[in-house]
PDB file of all heavy atoms in Angstrom:
ATOM      1  N   LEU A1259      -8.919  -0.019  -5.672  1.00  0.00           N
ATOM      2  CA  LEU A1259      -8.627   1.036  -4.621  1.00  0.00           C
ATOM      3  C   LEU A1259      -9.761   2.106  -4.606  1.00  0.00           C
ATOM      4  O   LEU A1259     -10.371   2.315  -5.604  1.00  0.00           O
ATOM      5  CB  LEU A1259      -7.262   1.666  -5.019  1.00  0.00           C
ATOM      6  CG  LEU A1259      -6.082   0.738  -5.073  1.00  0.00           C
ATOM      7  CD1 LEU A1259      -4.915   1.326  -5.757  1.00  0.00           C
ATOM      8  CD2 LEU A1259      -5.760   0.168  -3.740  1.00  0.00           C
ATOM      9  N   ASP A1260      -9.799   2.740  -3.422  1.00  0.00           N
ATOM     10  CA  ASP A1260     -10.794   3.896  -3.325  1.00  0.00           C
ATOM     11  C   ASP A1260     -10.126   5.255  -3.614  1.00  0.00           C
ATOM     12  O   ASP A1260     -10.782   6.094  -4.077  1.00  0.00           O
ATOM     13  CB  ASP A1260     -11.331   3.955  -1.870  1.00  0.00           C
ATOM     14  CG  ASP A1260     -12.040   2.580  -1.540  1.00  0.00           C
ATOM     15  OD1 ASP A1260     -13.076   2.256  -2.186  1.00  0.00           O
ATOM     16  OD2 ASP A1260     -11.622   1.943  -0.559  1.00  0.00           O
ATOM     17  N   TRP A1261      -8.894   5.281  -3.387  1.00  0.00           N
ATOM     18  CA  TRP A1261      -8.006   6.433  -3.679  1.00  0.00           C
ATOM     19  C   TRP A1261      -6.710   6.070  -4.180  1.00  0.00           C
ATOM     20  O   TRP A1261      -6.242   4.938  -3.834  1.00  0.00           O
ATOM     21  CB  TRP A1261      -7.752   7.279  -2.378  1.00  0.00           C
ATOM     22  CG  TRP A1261      -8.919   8.145  -1.878  1.00  0.00           C
ATOM     23  CD1 TRP A1261      -9.975   7.709  -1.108  1.00  0.00           C
ATOM     24  CD2 TRP A1261      -9.130   9.469  -2.107  1.00  0.00           C
ATOM     25  NE1 TRP A1261     -10.799   8.830  -0.865  1.00  0.00           N
ATOM     26  CE2 TRP A1261     -10.326   9.907  -1.481  1.00  0.00           C
ATOM     27  CE3 TRP A1261      -8.408  10.491  -2.806  1.00  0.00           C
ATOM     28  CZ2 TRP A1261     -10.801  11.190  -1.531  1.00  0.00           C
ATOM     29  CZ3 TRP A1261      -8.924  11.772  -2.924  1.00  0.00           C
ATOM     30  CH2 TRP A1261     -10.059  12.057  -2.197  1.00  0.00           C
ATOM     31  N   ILE A1262      -6.132   6.940  -4.946  1.00  0.00           N
ATOM     32  CA  ILE A1262      -4.684   6.809  -5.370  1.00  0.00           C
ATOM     33  C   ILE A1262      -3.994   8.118  -5.080  1.00  0.00           C
ATOM     34  O   ILE A1262      -4.544   9.146  -5.520  1.00  0.00           O
ATOM     35  CB  ILE A1262      -4.548   6.334  -6.855  1.00  0.00           C
ATOM     36  CG1 ILE A1262      -5.132   5.001  -7.063  1.00  0.00           C
ATOM     37  CG2 ILE A1262      -3.068   6.387  -7.155  1.00  0.00           C
ATOM     38  CD1 ILE A1262      -5.306   4.687  -8.540  1.00  0.00           C
ATOM     39  N   VAL A1263      -2.982   8.148  -4.275  1.00  0.00           N
ATOM     40  CA  VAL A1263      -2.253   9.374  -3.959  1.00  0.00           C
ATOM     41  C   VAL A1263      -0.819   9.261  -4.465  1.00  0.00           C
ATOM     42  O   VAL A1263      -0.178   8.316  -4.141  1.00  0.00           O
ATOM     43  CB  VAL A1263      -2.396   9.635  -2.466  1.00  0.00           C
ATOM     44  CG1 VAL A1263      -1.701  10.909  -2.107  1.00  0.00           C
ATOM     45  CG2 VAL A1263      -3.778   9.694  -1.954  1.00  0.00           C
ATOM     46  N   THR A1264      -0.480  10.260  -5.258  1.00  0.00           N
ATOM     47  CA  THR A1264       0.889  10.372  -5.686  1.00  0.00           C
ATOM     48  C   THR A1264       1.460  11.768  -5.293  1.00  0.00           C
ATOM     49  O   THR A1264       0.713  12.647  -4.697  1.00  0.00           O
ATOM     50  CB  THR A1264       0.953  10.267  -7.277  1.00  0.00           C
ATOM     51  OG1 THR A1264       0.525  11.503  -7.859  1.00  0.00           O
ATOM     52  CG2 THR A1264       0.216   9.029  -7.750  1.00  0.00           C
ATOM     53  N   GLU A1265       2.705  12.066  -5.603  1.00  0.00           N
ATOM     54  CA  GLU A1265       3.268  13.358  -5.441  1.00  0.00           C
ATOM     55  C   GLU A1265       2.661  14.433  -6.204  1.00  0.00           C
ATOM     56  O   GLU A1265       2.830  15.683  -5.976  1.00  0.00           O
ATOM     57  CB  GLU A1265       4.726  13.275  -5.424  1.00  0.00           C
ATOM     58  CG  GLU A1265       5.346  13.318  -6.925  1.00  0.00           C
ATOM     59  CD  GLU A1265       5.367  11.992  -7.579  1.00  0.00           C
ATOM     60  OE1 GLU A1265       4.674  10.966  -7.073  1.00  0.00           O
ATOM     61  OE2 GLU A1265       6.140  11.905  -8.507  1.00  0.00           O
TER      62      GLU A1265
END
Side-chain angles (χ1 to χ4, degrees):
L1259 301 167
D1260 300 300
W1261 281 84
I1262 298 167
V1263 180
T1264 74
E1265 76 278 16

